[in-house]
Amino acid sequence: MAKTSLVVGFVALTVACSGGHESRATPPAARVTTSAAAPAGALGTAARAASLAPDSGSAQWIIPAKNYASTRYSGLGQITAANVSRLGLAWTFSTGVSRGHEAAPLVVGSTMYVVTPFPNILYALDLSKPGAPLKWEYQPNPSTASQGVACCDVVNRGAVYYDGKIIYNTLDANTVAVDARTGKQVWRTRVGDINRGESVTMAPLVVKGKVLVGNSGGEFGIRGWLTALDAGTGKLAWRAYTTGPDTDVLIGPRFKPFYPLDQGKDLGVSSWPGDAWQYGGGGVWGWISYDPELNLIYYGTSNPGPWNPDVRPGDNKWTAGVFARDPDTGEAVWAYQWNPHDVYDHDGINELLLLDLPINGATRKVLVAPERNGYVYVLDRATGEVLSADPFGYITTSRGVDLKSGRPIMVPEKAPRTGQVVREICPAAPGVKDWQPSSWSPRTGLLYIPHQNLCQDEEGTEANYIAGTPYVAAIVKMYAGPGGYRGEMTAWDPVARKIVWNVHERFPVWSGTVVTEGDVVFYGTMDGWFKALDARSGKELWRFKTGSGIIGQPVTYLGPDGKQYVAVLAGVGGWAGAVVAGGLDTRDSSAALGFVNAMKDLPAATTKGGTLYVFALP
Amino acid sequence: MSSPSRSGCRRRRELLAAVLLAAALSACQREDRRFRTWPPAASAIPAVRQSELQPGPTTRDLTVRNEYGDNAWAVSEGKRLYNQFNCSGCHFQGGGGIGPPLMDSQWIYGSQPENIFATIVEGRPNGMPSFRGKLGNDQVWKLVAYVRSMSGLLAKDVASGRNDDMQVRSQEQSTEKARPVQSAVPPASQRP
């Protein structure tokens, strides 16, 4: 079956290559039949991904998460655990940009698309020619001032392909659509305002002709939102705020949250003091998933602002939580807060994997979320009920999640407060896991989670809201958690709810992961090693040293020559790598929101600079 | 009759007096505190240059003297303003983050008081906001003094010797002077 899909994929690609661009330009989502999902079922595991659309076959990689279920699983099986040790460099491409490269390259037909961090250049590379020469580049010229409202390096997490266009966001809060064939701008829409502290770093997702975009700026006192733009014109379809009255949050008669603590009128106002909801954070800078069957999109919201919790008593809804919405209207169907009244900058924006898992003898439609607060959540994605929440890292801040009320059981003495230093807060602000996306294989049933092992000391300080400037009010100093290692790659069984294997890394694993039909997991390290592990045992099978640390998202695709390739952007930076990308001074432990203290040895381990690396078997 | 114990007592008193005098004298040398210190007029700003390269003969520039750079109270006020106006949100306690470090030797837009004044008031193209109209000149000059103290550019008796919050760096007072160099590398990513 797997072989069949590979052949089908290859035929599709050949057809696409021989046809005009238009035929290549229409492979997306809805047109992929459910047979694409068959390999998982055929292998006899009850677990499967909810929807592989818009997978467009294994040959291509047209959205960063690979498919709507966000599994980042590739059905390509040429590179296997048995032969990956022979993997070698095929070609490279310098992006000319030296900040943190977090994006996933896209492959559509015989073209690869790469988005850089600010200034957000889009490159198109011709995969049909030797060495993949540049076809064109597009420069959106974002406002240079926008760099001043990017909390954690000027990153961009990638573009999406939809209906002949490459669509992505620029740091100065514009969404652009570019003709995938010519590189000419089709439309451009300003979605946010840097003078209110808003920027956009996330990769959009297109669902039913709507481009879904959210803002960044939880450290700048923004008011978070998710916006839908018409994919054809860029015109605003709807906007759903994270905070404020129900009419702004698009909470109406269809809203049925599972837990009583989330039920009530205008909780987005009443769970805040005064007008604090107007600058209370709750940005939408992470990942969005979509279940076509339930017609629901799922996404998380960022931390409330400021970090110092003393100035915002209450649950601070709907920050640090998750929403299920109707993509057509934006209406909320359910919501749940991972961290009501978050006190640790534990954003809830991580990837949400939509899986159908056998739980207690029945197949449940679930949403799996490895969260910053240190728990892997399994939620019923139709209702928002938490089925399980289990720790996957070292935690001193909470004792678990009360499944009856839905509330985490917090440890009060570990809560930061004004004018007092609280020590050994574990996990630190970036959590046990930050934005870096996991992958999931239907073959092993395992979730491959890239993450970190960090703790911190924190003191709350005076908070002053000045629009367009940071609104954090905390002094933080991070350091390695127990064991001394700062990064981990964990294989997690979401059904058995336990770690299957685990690899320690010196630095936080800030790159994404991809897992393939060849049972190989790829990820990169901040000191520049691109690694392949055995998906079943975690044994390292291969490694390659890149020019700069890796925080990008690896992808794999089938080249026009029928060979499987693996691609990843190197280029250290991001919050974890700001010490190198921003040339920061390690004598200040609080630099970069305290992350520098944990990364003092990174400048000796890597230098900055963005380069795309592409690998293949000989 | 003088007993040995009484003469010993007098010697101790003399010693104490000498110690007190020495302490008082050294305190006098600590800082020449002027209670009427005026900041430079903001009109000195047209003297600011971004480049040392001048076409034709080199002209002598007006230099600006920031009296606050010699005044411990003004520097401590600058430190308070630095945190209150969220400078610390980007530059942290000098190590940088969103903005560049301020405790090192690298100065992208110049280290002289007038340069720093211009940077705060005018803003800079790679993300530094313009605080024009948001801060009074007096506040800016206090900030300028404090910013220079972060890399040890002020006299030790003027720079802050204590911190009210969690210790995250050496005190400004004990920070070794970092001789300013004009940095060639802007903080922003560079275009190809």
Side-chain angles (χ1 to χ4, degrees):
Chain A
M1 195 62 214
K3 201 172 245 169
T4 318
S5 72
L6 187 71
V7 171
V8 169
F10 183 59
V11 168
L13 183 84
T14 320
V15 168
C17 291
S18 58
H21 174 73
E22 279 64 34
S23 66
R24 251 184 294 150
T26 45
R31 266 148 248 191
V32 176
T33 60
T34 44
S35 69
L43 282 154
T45 47
R48 67 176 198 104
S51 170
L52 292 183
D55 196 298
S56 72
S58 293
Q60 308 187 98
W61 197 288
I62 68 172
I63 66 172
K66 179 63 177 155
N67 47 52
Y68 279 148
S70 302
T71 61
R72 291 176 168 82
Y73 168 78
S74 167
L76 296 180
Q78 290 181 19
I79 297 168
T80 65
N83 65 19
V84 70
S85 62
R86 294 190 291 129
L87 208 59
L89 194 59
W91 51 274
T92 64
F93 173 77
S94 168
T95 67
V97 179
S98 62
R99 301 303 289 248
H101 285 59
E102 289 189 349
L106 300 183
V107 175
V108 184
S110 58
T111 306
M112 179 183 283
Y113 300 92
V114 176
V115 184
T116 73
F118 179 91
N120 305 130
I121 304 162
L122 174 64
Y123 293 109
L125 306 172
D126 189 348
L127 300 177
S128 68
K129 296 190 179 131
L134 186 65
K135 269 175 133 169
W136 49 257
E137 68 178 86
Y138 163 77
Q139 302 230 13
N141 299 315
S143 150
T144 58
S146 64
Q147 295 169 95
V149 291
C151 80
C152 312
D153 199 6
V154 292
V155 297
N156 184 288
R157 300 192 180 83
V160 293
Y161 172 81
Y162 179 78
D163 194 23
K165 293 185 277 286
I166 300 293
I167 303 172
Y168 70 105
N169 301 307
T170 60
L171 190 65
D172 64 349
N174 281 238
T175 303
V176 294
V178 179
D179 187 309
R181 191 169 51 88
T182 63
K184 297 274 176 287
Q185 184 177 300
V186 181
W187 54 258
R188 177 179 188 132
T189 302
R190 195 185 117 167
V191 291
D193 180 2
I194 62 168
N195 276 318
R196 290 203 311 256
E198 291 176 310
S199 58
V200 181
T201 56
M202 54 100 76
L205 183 72
V206 183
V207 170
K208 298 170 90 177
K210 290 197 169 62
V211 185
L212 304 170
V213 183
N215 58 356
S216 304
E219 282 63 51
F220 280 81
I222 59 149
R223 183 183 177 200
W225 45 254
L226 180 75
T227 289
L229 305 174
D230 181 278
T233 63
K235 290 214 168 27
L236 184 93
W238 51 260
R239 170 167 289 188
Y241 285 95
T242 303
T243 67
D246 287 351
T247 46
D248 289 5
V249 187
L250 304 190
I251 284 177
R254 285 178 68 191
F255 186 62
K256 302 256 181 317
F258 189 83
Y259 296 98
L261 82 157
D262 295 320
Q263 295 160 4
K265 200 174 153 17
D266 292 330
L267 296 179
V269 172
S270 61
S271 62
W272 294 87
D275 64 354
W277 55 270
Q278 291 179 18
Y279 41 93
V284 182
W285 59 273
W287 301 107
I288 308 169
S289 300
Y290 174 57
D291 181 340
E293 229 171 89
L294 296 172
N295 193 34
L296 290 177
I297 54 164
Y298 303 92
Y299 67 93
T301 58
S302 92
N303 62 292
W307 286 16
N308 183 346
D310 285 353
V311 298
R312 46 172 176 80
D315 277 354
N316 308 142
K317 292 188 187 304
W318 300 86
T319 61
V322 53
F323 271 111
R325 292 186 186 276
D326 182 325
D328 300 313
T329 60
E331 286 169 287
V333 172
W334 59 260
Y336 171 73
Q337 276 184 298
W338 315 115
N339 310 304
H341 185 63
D342 161 64
V343 298
Y344 297 113
D345 180 41
H346 285 167
D347 304 53
I349 60 81
N350 290 359
E351 70 284 2
L352 306 167
L353 294 94
L354 310 187
L355 308 175
D356 295 349
L357 296 182
I359 290 170
N360 299 332
T363 299
R364 299 288 296 260
K365 287 176 178 297
V366 301
L367 170 161
V368 178
E371 279 302 310
R372 208 138 139 162
N373 63 14
Y375 298 93
V376 179
Y377 288 77
V378 178
L379 266 63
D380 182 316
R381 69 174 179 269
T383 64
E385 179 188 4
V386 181
L387 303 177
S388 63
D390 302 284
F392 68 110
Y394 181 65
I395 303 173
T396 64
T397 52
S398 63
R399 295 200 179 89
V401 179
D402 175 11
L403 299 189
K404 244 199 177 96
S405 70
R407 255 188 198 282
I409 305 152
M410 304 307 291
V411 177
E413 54 270 31
K414 289 292 179 188
R417 42 200 161 256
T418 309
Q420 200 179 328
V421 180
V422 177
R423 302 194 190 274
E424 309 237 347
I425 292 171
C426 312
V432 169
K433 180 189 169 299
D434 204 282
W435 75 279
Q436 62 274 41
S438 317
S439 53
W440 179 81
S441 166
R443 293 171 53 86
T444 62
L446 302 181
L447 194 62
Y448 300 95
I449 312 174
H451 62 113
Q452 58 269 358
N453 174 38
L454 297 171
C455 299
Q456 74 184 24
D457 298 345
E458 178 174 354
E459 179 195 342
T461 59
E462 185 187 9
N464 296 305
Y465 175 72
I466 305 169
T469 71
Y471 187 49
V472 173
I475 303 176
V476 172
K477 190 165 136 179
M478 297 182 207
Y479 42 88
Y485 52 90
R486 285 157 282 176
E488 288 184 76
M489 182 61 209
T490 295
W492 177 270
D493 184 333
V495 176
R497 298 156 54 190
K498 62 179 177 64
I499 293 171
V500 175
W501 54 257
N502 174 287
V503 173
H504 295 168
E505 292 286 355
R506 182 179 167 200
F507 296 109
V509 182
W510 210 254
S511 86
T513 62
V514 61
V515 58
T516 70
E517 198 197 70
D519 288 341
V520 183
V521 180
F522 291 97
Y523 73 104
T525 67
M526 291 189 72
D527 49 352
W529 287 103
F530 189 48
K531 296 185 178 182
L533 304 188
D534 186 313
R536 294 183 188 276
S537 67
K539 185 174 170 252
E540 186 178 313
L541 304 170
W542 172 85
R543 60 160 72 187
F544 181 93
K545 184 73 160 71
T546 56
S548 176
I550 299 170
I551 59 163
Q553 304 163 55
V555 303
T556 181
Y557 64 95
L558 210 58
D561 57 359
K563 274 175 73 169
Q564 183 184 354
Y565 291 85
V566 180
V568 71
L569 278 164
V572 84
W575 187 11
V579 62
V580 172
L584 307 185
D585 197 313
T586 57
R587 290 174 296 166
D588 174 7
S589 299
S590 73
L593 295 156
F595 217 139
V596 161
N597 193 56
M599 304 301 287
K600 287 184 172 176
D601 50 345
L602 188 65
T606 191
T607 52
K608 59 188 172 181
T611 306
L612 174 78
Y613 289 83
V614 181
F615 302 92
L617 291 172
Chain B
M1 182 182 138
S2 66
S3 74
S5 70
R6 276 181 76 173
S7 72
C9 193
R10 192 166 62 228
R11 271 200 299 278
R12 271 205 297 278
R13 268 206 299 272
E14 282 164 358
L15 189 67
L16 184 67
V19 166
L20 284 173
L21 184 68
L25 285 174
S26 68
C28 285
Q29 281 171 350
R30 187 183 169 270
E31 181 211 356
D32 182 14
R33 179 165 298 182
R34 277 156 293 178
F35 292 97
R36 284 175 185 268
T37 298
W38 304 103
S43 59
I45 287 310
V48 173
R49 285 186 198 276
Q50 275 300 306
S51 174
E52 59 181 287
L53 182 62
Q54 301 176 29
T58 306
T59 52
R60 249 186 88 216
D61 282 329
L62 221 66
T63 51
V64 179
R65 189 178 148 68
N66 181 17
E67 300 274 339
Y68 286 156
D70 302 324
N71 186 301
W73 179 79
V75 174
S76 75
E77 280 294 286
K79 182 169 181 164
R80 189 175 59 80
L81 292 165
Y82 178 85
N83 288 302
Q84 284 187 336
F85 279 91
N86 298 344
C87 308
S88 54
C90 285
H91 301 281
F92 296 88
Q93 298 307 312
I98 299 162
L102 299 176
M103 69 195 298
D104 64 3
S105 61
Q106 308 285 308
W107 292 86
I108 302 160
Y109 304 110
S111 65
Q112 290 305 308
E114 61 269 29
N115 299 128
I116 301 169
F117 185 97
T119 295
I120 295 169
V121 173
E122 295 173 6
R124 296 298 185 194
N126 285 311
M128 175 72 196
S130 163
F131 281 86
R132 188 191 304 283
K134 305 290 173 3
L135 289 164
N137 286 339
D138 184 67
Q139 291 174 306
V140 179
W141 285 116
K142 284 171 181 158
L143 276 166
V144 167
Y146 175 65
V147 167
R148 282 173 58 82
S149 80
M150 297 174 90
S151 55
L153 296 183
L154 299 189
K156 287 203 187 306
D157 55 6
V158 172
S160 165
R162 66 182 282 258
N163 200 9
D164 292 337
D165 296 303
M166 184 163 80
Q167 190 71 27
V168 291
R169 59 161 289 183
S170 65
Q171 296 306 332
E172 291 83 351
Q173 195 175 69
S174 46
T175 299
E176 206 178 316
K177 180 176 178 175
R179 210 172 62 82
V181 292
Q182 191 81 22
S183 169
V185 185
S189 50
Q190 285 154 54
R191 296 184 182 213

